[in-house]
Each structure stands twice: as structure tokens, then as C-alpha cells.
Amino acid sequence: MRITVTVNGQQRQADHVWAGESLLYLLRERLGLPGAKNACEQGECGSCTVYLDGEPVCACLVAAGQVQGRSVTTVEGLAAQRVQQAFLEAGAVQCGFCTPGLIIAVHDLLARTPRPGDAEVREALAGNLCRCTGYEKILDAVRLAASR
Amino acid sequence: MIPSAFDYARPSTVQEAVRILSEAGEDAKVLAGGQSLIPVLRLRLAAPSLLVDLGGIAELRGVSESGDELVIGAMTRHADILRDPLVARYAPLLAQATATVADRQVRHLGTIGGSLSHADPAGDLPSVSLALDAVMTIAGPAGERSVPASEFFVDYLTTAMQPGEVLVAVRVPKREGWGTHYEKFNRVAQAWALVGVAAAVRRENGSIAEARVALTNMGTTPLRATAVEQALAGALASADAIASAAASAAEGTSPSSDVSASAEYRTHLAKVLTRRAVAAAGGIDAA
């Protein structure tokens, strides 16, 4: 099928798409956007988090057929660099594989709650796993981004 | 992993969905939010030939009132339940339990109907639907029928729905004057419940007039803790009476043993969590 979807503000089309393939595959393999990462493919790790119609979702758990006519924003499409910069400065990036998903999750959190408490941060990031940092540097990065 | 190939249909009415499903027979699966089904497909634990996506059926979304019931469309997402004023007013237990389902990403796509139809005994919403005496509205080739939650969950991942049938709404009696609480025990925030307890309590003067208690993950289906409910009916609204009733929480259950917990540990948890849930629902300091 032909999928038409708005990605990072631009209308994009892909042909010969299988409706059952994932939004993540569509983004990475057909639309040339490798920012969202492919890790668990089970919705556990959050590495593939993107905005779908303005809400963070796991792109691996969305079928391509479900995004027809909808709007997706990936880490490549975020205009502001505040969260990314805070991650760099706080040392919250190690291997970097979880980072794009975390950037989306934190971006969403700060849009809803500009000055989140630690419990709110932990709740908002519960769906994003990091195997390197132990999370402390990530929490530092969120506090830093929120302070700016 | 890549799921095995399937066809995809996206009907725009319930009638059309039922027709497509009836024609396809047992080889078709219904796609709601996909948060359980897509992982199952990807692990190739299921290989349907056809996926019928209910996402295009507007009438299945949203919460409304009908007399003394809330009518919750099956495709209403967890995130929508969490901010719905009718749910907050008449079924806060549902909102409280929904807030503990997985994580934000999953709650943005997962639906109440998908969660109930998947019928995972470790899922939070099946036991909540039992405790609230919810009734499922199911559409099929012969029209609509109603099935109470107590008859809906038949076995592990199995409901009373037949091939060709679709869950269209969950009807929840308005519970004003009841206190409710969902007590969940899990290892990390996004994990399934090792055990969960949904409690609803109606107090009268210094006593507990009625109680509904349902258990998550204490068997192949969600279970009512009938012995606890009977012990609580008419009991003094005291910490001692609740502790005594909660001691029979595991009666008639058959919890599994797995890497996360032994059956013995789950039995222990059921009693402790029941005491906490009932006390919180009844507004009683359990100390």
C-alpha cells in the first residue's frame, strides 16, 4: 500500500509498504530517518520513541497501516536543542543508543511540566531503559534542561 | 523479528468489522492499540492471516453516560481514561489502575478494550473490571450481546468472545459513595503486576456494608476474592476486621510460579495487598 504521513513537518510518501511493518521500519529503512533506534522490538525499552500526533509512542509497536494520514515527529525533527545540549553537558550519553528515545520523552515531559520533581521525571522516563548510565546522569540532564 | 505475513483491513464501522471477521473465521485477529498483539506477532506466538484494525472506527472511542452506567468505548486509550472527567467521578478505581499500566508510551496507544480482550491475568484492568461489576458489550454476526466481567474471562488469554465477535464497549456501574483502591506490587515501574488487588468498599456508619475485591495474577484469569468479600460484609470498619478478612484472600486461587515469584510468595502477596487495598478503599488506617 501507499503510506502518506507527515514526518517532521513534511508530507512524505512511501510505496509498496506492507501495512503490517512497523512505523520504526518505515522511518528508518524507507524514509531515511535512523534517529529512532531499533532495540527490543517489544515496546519495553523506549529506544524507538517518537511523537505520533504529538504524543510519545514506541514506533516499534505501531503498524505502518495505523499511521496513514497522521503526523510523526522524530528526534531529527525537534527544533529546540535544549534537551540534547543538557544531555551532552551532564554526561548523560554513553553508548548513545537509548538517547534519541530519551530526548523525545524528556522533551515531552518538559513541554507538559516545565519544572518537574524527581518523582515526575522518573515516572515520565519509566518506559526508557538505559544500560550504561545508571540513570543518575540522565536525571542530572533533565534537571539541567529544566533550569534553562 | 518480523511477524509472519498477514493481510490488513481497516473497517470504518463495527458492522463492517464484524462482517470481515466473520468471513475470515478463526484465522483473523483484531488489532486495537497493538501494545500486546504486535509483540505477540513479532515473537511469532501468533500468525494470523488477517489483522482487522479497529482504529478507524470513531464510534468505539470515548466515554459517555447512560443512566446509572458509564459506557466506555472499547478503543478508548489508557491516556484518554486518565484524563476523562466521567471516569474520575464515577470510576476512579479504573483511572488509578490505568495509571499503573506499563509506561507513558504504551498508555498513549493501548486501549481498555484491547487490554480486556487480551485477557492477560497479569494485566491490571481485567481484575478492575471484575471489582467494578463491569459488563462487556460484544458485537457479532447475530447482533449485540452483553457479558458480565464475571463470565467474560474464561481462561489464560481467553475470553467468552467467539471468532467474528468484537468488544465494542465496557459498561461500568456508577459507583458513588464507594471508596476504591488498586494496590499493585511489581519489581519496576513498567513491569507487570506480580500480584494486584482491586478493592471497592461501601461503608455504612461504622461498618463495611459491601465490598468487592478482585485479584490480578492469582490464576489463569482475574479472580474475585469471594471469601474476603463475605467476611467483610457487615464487618466492623476496623484494621483488625480487614486483616482477618484479608487472610483468606488466596482461597480458591491457583497462582503460577515463574522467574519473578513463586506461587507461595504470590499467595503471601495476595493477603498483604488485599489488606492494604481494602483498608485504603475504606479509608481505614491499616497501621
Side-chain angles (χ1 to χ4, degrees):
Chain A
M1 67 189 288
R2 166 175 288 190
I3 297 283
T4 305
V5 57
T6 302
V7 180
N8 298 333
Q10 288 188 316
Q11 201 180 83
R12 303 285 302 267
Q13 271 184 1
D15 283 316
H16 310 298
V17 173
W18 175 42
E21 70 188 43
S22 69
L23 169 60
L24 182 61
Y25 185 89
L26 181 73
L27 292 169
R28 290 178 58 85
E29 308 297 336
R30 297 189 189 273
L31 300 178
L33 291 164
K37 295 292 180 268
N38 189 21
C40 77
E41 299 193 341
Q42 293 288 306
E44 296 281 344
C45 75
S47 302
C48 64
T49 303
V50 299
Y51 281 109
L52 177 60
D53 291 337
E55 294 172 320
V57 303
C58 293
C60 75
L61 293 193
V62 181
Q66 293 176 295
V67 302
Q68 186 73 272
R70 298 173 74 177
S71 174
V72 175
T73 303
T74 70
V75 69
E76 289 98 333
L78 293 183
Q81 298 293 310
R82 173 175 65 141
V83 178
Q84 293 91 319
Q85 194 58 40
F87 267 62
L88 288 176
E89 291 176 26
V93 180
Q94 285 193 29
C95 89
F97 210 76
C98 69
T99 309
L102 275 161
I103 298 291
I104 297 280
V106 173
H107 186 270
D108 173 63
L109 168 67
L110 296 181
R112 287 181 289 113
T113 313
R115 293 272 184 277
D118 279 2
E120 288 170 296
V121 176
R122 286 171 184 273
E123 169 58 28
L125 303 187
N128 294 80
L129 304 185
C130 172
R131 301 283 87 145
C132 302
T133 63
Y135 300 102
E136 289 303 321
K137 297 296 179 188
I138 292 169
L139 294 178
D140 289 347
V142 180
R143 291 184 200 109
L144 183 60
S147 73
R148 291 177 168 170
Chain B
M1 275 183 75
I2 296 171
S4 59
F6 52 78
D7 290 327
Y8 172 87
R10 192 174 165 92
S12 51
T13 65
V14 171
Q15 219 173 9
E16 194 187 345
V18 166
R19 183 182 54 75
I20 296 171
L21 283 165
S22 305
E23 285 168 7
E26 294 204 18
D27 234 17
K29 284 262 178 217
V30 174
L31 176 65
Q35 303 302 285
S36 296
L37 180 57
I38 293 180
V40 163
L41 295 176
R42 200 161 282 139
L43 292 169
R44 299 206 173 195
L45 296 174
S49 59
L50 173 68
L51 223 56
V52 181
D53 179 1
L54 304 185
I57 307 178
E59 62 189 289
L60 292 181
R61 287 193 294 270
V63 182
S64 59
E65 288 178 89
S66 174
D68 52 7
E69 288 181 329
L70 286 189
V71 182
I72 305 173
M75 287 294 285
T76 307
R77 304 173 313 156
H78 302 315
D80 300 323
I81 297 280
L82 291 178
R83 50 185 173 236
D84 188 274
L86 290 172
V87 171
R89 177 165 178 195
Y90 295 116
L93 177 63
L94 176 60
Q96 191 201 1
T98 299
T100 74
V101 172
D103 50 52
R104 288 186 63 80
Q105 286 94 324
V106 168
R107 293 193 295 268
H108 283 140
L109 292 173
T111 64
I112 184 170
S115 175
L116 296 174
S117 303
H118 187 53
D120 192 320
D124 302 295
L125 305 186
S127 66
V128 168
S129 74
L130 266 187
L132 292 177
D133 294 321
V135 177
M136 317 298 169
T137 304
I138 298 167
E144 283 193 352
R145 64 186 180 113
S146 293
V147 176
S150 57
E151 295 167 21
F152 183 74
F153 303 102
V154 173
D155 201 347
Y156 183 69
L157 305 183
T158 306
T159 70
M161 286 192 290
Q162 299 299 313
E165 289 191 317
V166 173
L167 178 62
V168 293
V170 184
R171 305 204 309 272
V172 179
K174 292 177 182 173
R175 284 237 186 277
E176 280 185 297
W178 288 65
T180 58
H181 188 79
Y182 187 64
E183 187 78 18
K184 174 176 179 172
F185 194 84
N186 54 2
R187 290 183 306 112
V188 295
Q190 65 169 181
W192 297 92
L194 291 181
V195 175
V197 179
V201 170
R202 185 170 66 80
R203 283 180 63 165
E204 237 168 44
N205 305 319
S207 298
I208 293 172
E210 296 178 78
R212 301 274 188 281
V213 181
L215 308 172
T216 299
N217 215 5
M218 285 297 288
T220 55
T221 65
L223 296 168
R224 281 281 281 273
T226 322
V228 177
E229 294 176 351
Q230 285 166 356
L232 287 172
L236 215 60
S238 72
D240 283 349
I242 291 170
S244 155
S248 44
E251 256 180 42
T253 65
S254 49
S256 63
S257 286
D258 56 36
V259 288
S260 302
S262 65
E264 190 184 5
Y265 181 48
R266 286 200 162 93
T267 298
H268 169 74
L269 281 176
K271 297 173 190 173
V272 173
L273 301 179
T274 294
R275 177 170 54 78
R276 290 181 190 167
V278 172
I284 296 151
D285 189 357

